[in-house]
Amino acid sequence: MEKILEAKHIDKYFKKPNNFHVLKDINFFIKQGEFASIMGKSGCGKSTLLYILSTMDTEYSGELLIKNELVTGRSSNELARIRNKHIGFVFQFHYLLPEFSVLENVMIPAKKLGAYPLEQIRENAMKKMQKLGIEKLADKKAFNISGGEKQRVAIARALINDPLIIMGDEPTGNLDSYNSDKVFDEFRKLSTEQGLSLLVVTHDEDFAKNTDRIITMEDGKILNPI
Amino acid sequence: MVDWKIILPIAKTHLFSKIKQTTIASLGVTFGIAAYITLVSFMTGLNEMLDGLVLNRTPHVHIYNEIKPTEKQPVDYLFGSENTMKIVHSVKPKLSQKKIYNALPLIKHLEENVDVKAAIPQVNTQIFYKSGSIDLGGTLSGIMPIKEADFFQFGDYVVSGSVKDLVKNENGILIGAGIAKNMSLDLGDRVQISTVNGDPFYLKVVGIYQSGIAEIDNIQSFVNLRTAQKMLQESSNYITDINVKMYEIDKSVELSKRIENQFNVTAIDVKTANAQFETGTNIRNIITYAVSITLLIVAGFGIYNILNMVIYEKMNDIAILKAIGFSGKDVQMIFMTQAVIIGFVGGVLGLIIGYMMARIIDQVPFETEALPTIKTFPVNFKILYYIIGFSFALISTFFAGYFPSQKAKKVDPIKIIRGQ
């Protein structure tokens, strides 16, 4: 199986408020189709790690590879393009653009990528939304739908450019158990049916137990790297 | 590369979702531009009128014979340029004729010059207006009425009667408004004048001339060139003044110097004669621009403020856009676009309102003794001011948008996403 995401010797320090070694020599990789979760206590650095892996945080030492290509040290424009094309995000708070319709929210990353004409993008977006059962919401404004729906819209948006990997930062943290289960089921389907890799930071043990692999972190170290 | 297809709709949505703020920001620009257009139209209109007062009837180069002492006295010839001290007591002006020597060929020479629009001859002389036993001193100008009207807006100052009546009537006179009033003269009346030699002439009042300057109106009258020559018993080559109108006023200095050297006459250019008038114009322009720019800068700060607020409110949007693959520059462009749209809409509205204000001012009655031809406030509708105003709207909003958008560009999405 191909390595989708690989971290080599990643170290990170927080300079403020005082010097703090938050990530200590992180080495691990995610294979294609793997559904992994990161668990650990608050402050163990799991979110910090996720944002480094997501390419948004560039202040670290070590190497980050996506699909065996080194992305460390690239310009912010290139990194933005990599995020756009290869990484889908689902956050704890739903982070939709509130004044735009649901459909537009889903379409924005694809419009930004510009690989397809607008009609095609619209069709793709509707397909993704159908799979998630939210096609009826298409014309509603994003601030007008419920939390569970928002999270599914966010998933549809994460999927629109057919990324290599979906990253989630507590994607179920703000949802009731019914909606959490639905979101988990969607993730599971993506992993098994489409061979998509997923990396999810979570506090939810039930959620983590059902993933393929639990990466446990403590004090800036991964306890079970392989 | 900027992808407008995606940036424009986002900018548009932001603007429309905060329509109140957008409107206020645009109105700031509108107000600034409208005020600029109104002010500049009105001020330059006034300026041009005031300049016109001086420039229209002032020749760009005035050529005449000045009565003055000879510059090189006989003693200078004797000792040349040696380092000697020469004292000559009670130097008198040289007796010379008032007429310009070889005036007709000189006029022809001037008119052949490509920079010269027209060179018009005049005969100026002292006269007395006679009313019974009363003699009133005055000056009489023999002119070529049609040419004066064409090149020096002479017709604008003839308040009753007309220039044509003077052309038709060889014994006609255009009499100054002040003298006409003092002597109770009106159109069609006869006036007796006499030359310095004492020869009396009867002329018919065919028009009244009012320059707006009382000193002139109290003494000055006009007759045909030929009439003046006849009164002085001179031939048709007797010409005392030549007034030159240039295509470009800036070239008048050079021409006057050349004419003086070449033809042994006195030539005064308008800049020397009216040095103070340009200063006034410049100061008025400076005031106009200072006020306008202040207004636009205030409007610019308004936009700066509002965009700053919008960016604070849209922190989440900025973070999410960056997370899903928008670069800092894309985000910056979104906010810059908003600023420029505000500037564009506000600017266009400002131009329209400014134009309407100028139109209204143009209708306001403005009658003054000094300016017989002006009935309403003078307003300038030059397209250039509209271009300047619009450019300034775009430039000021560009800068007002640049600094806040620079902040949006630098927003760290992680801080926002994790901060919640």
Side-chain angles (χ1 to χ4, degrees):
Chain A
M1 274 293 190
E2 206 181 343
K3 288 176 192 169
I4 291 297
L5 187 75
E6 187 171 10
K8 288 182 180 172
H9 307 296
I10 285 185
D11 274 271
K12 181 175 174 73
Y13 295 86
F14 280 147
K15 300 264 159 49
K16 284 174 190 169
N18 37 37
N19 215 349
F20 176 57
H21 198 171
V22 57
L23 294 177
K24 298 164 186 164
D25 194 31
I26 301 287
N27 289 287
F28 84 107
F29 56 84
I30 305 280
K31 286 184 291 191
Q32 194 182 348
E34 196 171 19
F35 186 179
S37 56
I38 305 180
M39 287 201 73
K41 291 184 184 130
S42 283
C44 71
K46 55 188 192 304
S47 288
T48 309
L49 176 60
L50 187 76
Y51 288 111
I52 288 176
L53 298 177
S54 77
T55 75
M56 277 194 270
D57 189 350
T58 53
E59 288 166 13
Y60 61 89
S61 60
E63 288 180 345
L64 174 64
L65 294 93
I66 291 177
K67 232 181 164 182
N68 293 320
E69 276 182 50
L70 184 68
V71 298
T72 306
R74 298 215 190 170
S75 75
S76 63
N77 280 356
E78 278 177 273
L79 292 177
R81 185 143 184 94
I82 289 169
R83 282 201 293 280
N84 185 225
K85 194 166 162 54
H86 297 309
I87 302 175
F89 279 106
V90 183
F91 303 104
Q92 177 175 9
F93 302 97
H94 325 296
Y95 281 114
L96 302 179
L97 301 181
E99 291 119 0
F100 290 76
S101 74
V102 166
L103 179 62
E104 280 167 335
N105 265 289
V106 175
M107 284 165 67
I108 280 176
K111 282 195 196 166
K112 172 64 195 156
L113 185 64
Y116 300 104
L118 199 61
E119 268 314 300
Q120 182 90 45
I121 292 173
R122 193 187 304 275
E123 223 169 89
N124 284 350
M126 287 308 287
K127 264 188 216 157
K128 304 279 184 205
M129 286 162 70
Q130 265 162 17
K131 274 193 188 156
L132 292 160
I134 47 169
E135 72 276 12
K136 281 179 192 147
L137 304 175
D139 293 328
K140 280 199 177 176
K141 291 280 181 218
F143 63 81
N144 246 344
I145 59 176
S146 76
E149 288 167 340
K150 278 181 187 166
Q151 204 57 306
R152 272 179 284 163
V153 174
I155 295 171
R157 186 182 63 196
L159 291 172
I160 187 72
N161 282 341
D162 297 316
L164 296 170
I165 186 165
I166 299 270
M167 293 189 188
D169 187 7
E170 311 252 11
T172 59
N174 209 24
L175 299 178
D176 57 38
S177 62
Y178 171 78
N179 277 312
S180 293
D181 291 348
K182 275 198 115 167
V183 167
F184 180 83
D185 291 344
E186 297 301 342
F187 281 170
R188 173 50 76 194
K189 258 198 268 174
L190 291 170
S191 165
T192 49
E193 288 174 15
Q194 295 181 26
L196 207 63
S197 309
L198 292 111
L199 181 62
V200 176
V201 168
T202 184
H203 270 120
D204 185 346
E205 276 187 43
D206 293 336
F207 185 101
K209 252 186 259 171
N210 289 319
T211 58
D212 298 342
R213 172 182 167 198
I214 301 177
I215 298 163
T216 313
M217 284 187 70
E218 204 176 286
D219 292 337
K221 283 182 201 153
I222 292 180
L223 299 181
N224 51 346
I226 302 295
Chain B
M1 203 204 76
V2 181
D3 193 353
W4 293 109
K5 258 186 262 165
I6 176 83
I7 285 177
L8 266 182
I10 295 176
K12 210 176 75 190
T13 308
H14 278 171
L15 286 176
F16 277 105
S17 67
K18 290 267 178 287
I19 193 74
K20 227 187 229 171
Q21 287 180 357
T22 310
T23 315
I24 289 169
S26 308
L27 281 179
V29 183
T30 304
F31 180 70
I33 301 294
Y36 164 75
I37 293 290
T38 314
L39 209 68
V40 87
S41 304
F42 186 40
M43 288 294 271
T44 56
L46 265 176
N47 262 350
E48 266 182 24
M49 184 199 70
L50 293 172
D51 292 357
L53 268 185
V54 177
L55 285 186
N56 283 349
R57 55 188 163 192
T58 312
H60 294 170
V61 179
H62 180 203
I63 299 167
Y64 61 104
N65 260 344
E66 201 168 25
I67 302 293
K68 58 184 175 188
T70 311
E71 269 172 45
K72 221 171 174 189
Q73 296 289 330
V75 67
D76 292 324
Y77 287 99
L78 203 56
F79 295 103
S81 56
E82 281 170 46
N83 263 341
T84 51
M85 196 167 88
K86 295 155 275 190
I87 297 171
V88 184
H89 287 286
S90 84
V91 175
K92 294 283 188 303
K94 185 188 171 197
L95 176 67
S96 62
Q97 52 188 355
K98 281 187 83 183
K99 78 168 206 175
I100 297 169
Y101 183 67
N102 259 348
L104 295 178
L106 175 57
I107 289 169
K108 204 168 163 243
H109 170 81
L110 284 168
E111 283 185 332
E112 277 165 6
N113 189 327
V114 284
D115 293 329
V116 172
K117 204 170 174 185
I120 304 171
Q122 282 193 355
V123 172
N124 285 315
T125 181
Q126 304 293 318
I127 50 150
F128 296 104
Y129 301 97
K130 285 180 144 347
S131 178
S133 59
I134 302 169
D135 286 357
L136 290 171
T139 54
L140 185 71
S141 297
I143 56 170
M144 299 177 84
I146 299 295
K147 281 194 174 178
E148 293 283 348
D150 284 351
F151 296 109
F152 292 98
Q153 272 78 37
F154 182 68
D156 288 355
Y157 302 99
V158 177
V159 286
S160 56
S162 79
V163 176
K164 274 183 196 156
D165 293 337
L166 181 63
V167 181
K168 278 186 266 176
N169 196 332
E170 206 175 304
N171 287 324
I173 181 170
L174 282 173
I175 198 161
I179 192 83
K181 196 176 158 217
N182 292 347
M183 294 179 70
S184 309
L185 291 169
D186 209 341
L187 285 188
D189 291 347
R190 293 205 156 261
V191 57
Q192 188 191 355
I193 64 172
S194 73
T195 62
V196 185
N197 299 336
D199 308 328
F201 286 87
Y202 287 94
L203 296 171
K204 188 182 169 196
V205 177
V206 294
I208 292 178
Y209 168 86
Q210 187 177 20
S211 67
I213 299 166
E215 283 170 36
I216 294 178
D217 295 340
N218 282 341
I219 54 171
Q220 179 74 56
S221 292
F222 296 90
V223 294
N224 284 303
L225 186 68
R226 187 71 205 105
T227 314
Q229 286 164 345
K230 269 193 220 160
M231 285 164 70
L232 297 170
Q233 295 167 350
E234 295 283 357
S235 65
S236 63
N237 67 2
Y238 180 84
I239 281 155
T240 61
D241 300 75
I242 299 172
N243 289 340
V244 180
K245 187 111 176 174
M246 313 281 293
Y247 284 103
E248 284 167 61
I249 192 164
D250 294 330
K251 290 190 176 161
S252 57
V253 182
E254 185 203 330
L255 182 80
S256 70
K257 280 202 183 116
R258 197 163 60 76
I259 296 292
E260 242 177 17
N261 292 335
Q262 202 174 340
F263 294 96
N264 191 26
V265 288
T266 307
I268 298 275
D269 61 86
V270 67
K271 293 209 164 170
T272 315
N274 290 291
Q276 83 286 358
F277 107 91
E278 220 170 46
T279 319
T281 305
N282 285 344
I283 285 173
R284 282 190 296 268
N285 277 339
I286 288 169
I287 292 171
T288 309
Y289 278 90
V291 173
S292 311
I293 287 171
T294 309
L295 285 170
L296 289 173
I297 286 173
V298 170
F301 273 105
I303 295 171
Y304 173 85
N305 233 340
I306 283 172
L307 267 183
N308 250 340
M309 252 161 62
V310 168
I311 284 168
Y312 271 112
E313 282 170 14
K314 298 286 178 203
M315 277 300 180
N316 278 346
D317 285 24
I318 294 169
I320 200 67
L321 285 170
K322 286 190 168 177
I324 62 178
F326 282 68
S327 63
K329 205 180 163 207
D330 292 329
V331 172
Q332 183 177 23
M333 285 314 292
I334 288 173
F335 289 99
M336 287 298 295
T337 309
Q338 293 183 35
V340 172
I341 288 175
I342 287 173
F344 186 87
V345 173
V348 168
L349 263 177
L351 293 187
I352 293 169
I353 291 174
Y355 177 75
M356 289 187 332
M357 291 293 288
R359 273 264 169 251
I360 291 168
I361 291 172
D362 198 25
Q363 300 302 316
V364 175
F366 174 65
E367 283 182 50
T368 158
E369 181 92 340
L371 309 160
T373 54
I374 306 289
K375 297 283 177 252
T376 58
F377 276 115
V379 175
N380 200 332
F381 288 101
K382 256 192 211 154
I383 190 88
L384 177 71
Y385 301 128
Y386 292 78
I387 295 169
I388 291 175
F390 193 62
S391 313
F392 202 96
L394 289 185
I395 292 168
S396 65
T397 49
F398 181 87
F399 281 109
Y402 182 79
F403 297 105
S405 73
Q406 195 70 18
K407 190 162 27 181
K409 180 185 178 180
K410 286 180 187 146
V411 163
D412 181 1
I414 304 165
K415 269 187 197 150
I416 311 297
I417 292 167
R418 299 196 65 177
Q420 285 228 342

